[in-house]
Amino acid sequence: MAVDDGVGGTASRGGRGAGWLRRAMLGCAAFIALAPAGAAEPGGKGAQVPSETLAEFARPHQLVDIGGRKLNLFCMGAGPRTVLFDAGGSDWSVIWALVLPEVAKHARACAYDRAGLGYSDPAAGPRSPIAIVEDLHALIRAAGIETPLVLVGHSLGGFHTKLYARLYPEDVAGLVLIDPAEERSSERVRALLLKRYGASLTARLELRDNDGLGLLLARFERCVAAAKDGDLDPQSPLYRRCSDPVRPALGPAIAAERARIQVTRSYQETQGSEVINSVYGKAAGDPIYAALFRPGVFGNKPLIVLTHGRFDADDPFDVADFQSGLWLHEQTAALSRRGRHRVVPDTSHNIEIDDPAAVIDAVVEVLGSSSR
C-alpha cells in the first residue's frame, strides 16, 4: 500500500509520539504481537459476562447502509440515553464484550465496527481521523441513533470520539476516553519533559520514538504487502506480527473470529491505513487540532479520561513515557470544565480487558452526569 510520504518521510517529522507513542500503540498489533504466542492477559476485574453473551459479539448484527457500504452495529439494552463505543487501532466491537453488556443495564449500549474491520465493509481512500468521524456521523444518522449520546473511545478510538465531539458537538452529551491517542504530543509536553528530566533524556526519548514510529509504519506496510497475494498463514511468524493476540478473557468464539478476520487483506489494509493516517503518522492536521482542542472547549459536558497504571519504575524512559501520558491525558480532561482524569491501577493499555469494572463505572458516572 502506498504511503504519500514514505516511511522515511513520515518518521522524520520528529517525536510525533513525545514518549507516549510506544505506550499508546500497545493496543495495536505491531507491538502486542511481540508477546509469545497465546500469551494470556489478566482475566478482567469484575467481568462476569456469560459465554453465550460473549459469543454474540462474534457475528454481524445490524448492517447499516451509510451510502453504498455497510457498517456493523451491535446494540443491547434500552433507555433514554445511548452509549456508543469505538475500539482502538486494529480492533473492533469484540473488544467491548466485557463492558457493553453491563452498561446495557443502564442505557442503550452500542458498539460499531469501523470500515474494513470486523463485519463492516471496507472503504476507499485513507482511513484518516476525519474519514472515520464522517463515517460515524453517517452511521448515527442512518441507524436513527438518538442524540445527544455518550461516546466511549479507546486508544485511536479515543481520539476519533474526541474529534467527533468537537465537530458535531450537538450529538454528544458526554465522553469517556480510555487511554486515548493524543495529537501534537511532543509539542504539548516537551517543555514539561525538559523541566523535569532535562535536555538529554527528552531528546533521546523523542528520537527513540521517531525510530519506533518508522519501524511501526514499515511493519504495517509489510503486512499489507503480504496480504495482497492472499490470506496470511495463521501459523506463521508474520501473522503474529500483523495481528492482535488471543484475548482469553473474551472467550473462544471471539478468539476464533479474530483469527478468521485478521488474516484477510481487508483487515490488514485497514489497520495499516488507520495507523499510517492517524495523528501519529500524519502531521497535516496538527494546526487544525491545535485550534480545535483548547482548554474548556467542551464546556460543561461530563468527560472522564482513564489512563492505564502499569509502567517500569526502573526504566527512566518508561517513567518519562508514563509521565508524558499523564500530562497529555490531564490536558484532554481539561477540555471540559467537568473533566476528570483517573489512573486505573495494575492495568495495561487495554483497560477494558484488564479492569472492565473501571470502564463500566466511568460510563455509568458520565451517564448520570449527562442527564443533569
Side-chain angles (χ1 to χ4, degrees), residues 306-325:
L306 301 180
T307 303
H308 75 274
R310 291 183 197 149
F311 67 98
D312 185 353
D314 296 324
D315 181 344
F317 290 102
D318 208 42
V319 170
D321 270 357
F322 184 73
Q323 182 59 60
S324 294

Side-chain angles (χ1 to χ4, degrees), residues 98-319:
L98 301 178
V99 172
L100 189 146
E102 291 299 311
V103 173
K105 296 175 182 178
H106 304 270
R108 185 172 187 240
C110 302
Y112 85 107
D113 302 337
R114 294 190 300 275
L117 299 174
Y119 305 105
S120 291
D121 294 336
R127 301 310 300 155
S128 63
I130 185 58
I132 290 166
V133 163
E134 298 294 24
D135 270 9
L136 179 55
H137 186 249
L139 173 70
I140 290 169
R141 294 295 180 270
I145 297 174
E146 187 173 350
T147 58
L149 45 73
V150 171
L151 287 177
V152 182
H154 171 239
S155 195
L156 286 181
F159 181 76
H160 302 152
T161 53
K162 183 172 79 170
L163 181 60
Y164 189 99
R166 279 295 285 129
L167 299 181
Y168 295 103
E170 67 281 1
D171 283 359
V172 181
L175 292 153
V176 177
L177 307 179
I178 303 159
D179 243 14
E182 295 286 351
E183 80 289 347
R184 301 168 35 254
S185 301
S186 295
E187 176 184 335
R188 289 164 55 192
V189 301
R190 186 178 292 117
L192 296 168
L193 285 167
L194 286 167
K195 183 176 181 179
R196 177 166 295 193
Y197 299 109
S200 175
L201 188 142
T202 299
R204 290 163 64 201
L205 190 66
E206 289 196 30
L207 291 170
R208 283 160 55 114
D209 279 341
N210 211 22
D211 287 347
L213 177 59
L215 291 171
L216 175 72
L217 299 181
R219 181 175 297 169
F220 275 119
E221 287 185 320
R222 289 195 295 273
C223 295
V224 171
K228 285 187 181 298
D229 296 327
D231 290 353
L232 301 182
D233 177 1
Q235 303 304 317
S236 67
L238 177 67
Y239 171 74
R240 286 179 50 211
R241 295 170 68 83
C242 297
S243 62
D244 272 10
V246 173
R247 304 185 192 278
L250 298 179
I254 289 176
E257 278 297 271
R258 187 181 290 281
R260 183 184 70 82
I261 288 170
Q262 289 181 152
V263 300
T264 64
R265 176 175 178 173
S266 175
Y267 174 86
Q268 295 297 330
E269 288 184 341
T270 299
Q271 71 163 349
S273 183
E274 284 194 349
V275 173
I276 290 166
N277 294 285
S278 72
V279 292
Y280 297 122
K282 298 288 185 181
D286 284 0
I288 301 169
Y289 299 145
L292 283 175
F293 299 119
R294 298 182 181 277
V297 293
F298 288 151
N300 284 321
K301 286 180 182 177
L303 163 64
I304 295 177
V305 182
L306 301 180
T307 303
H308 75 274
R310 291 183 197 149
F311 67 98
D312 185 353
D314 296 324
D315 181 344
F317 290 102
D318 208 42
V319 170

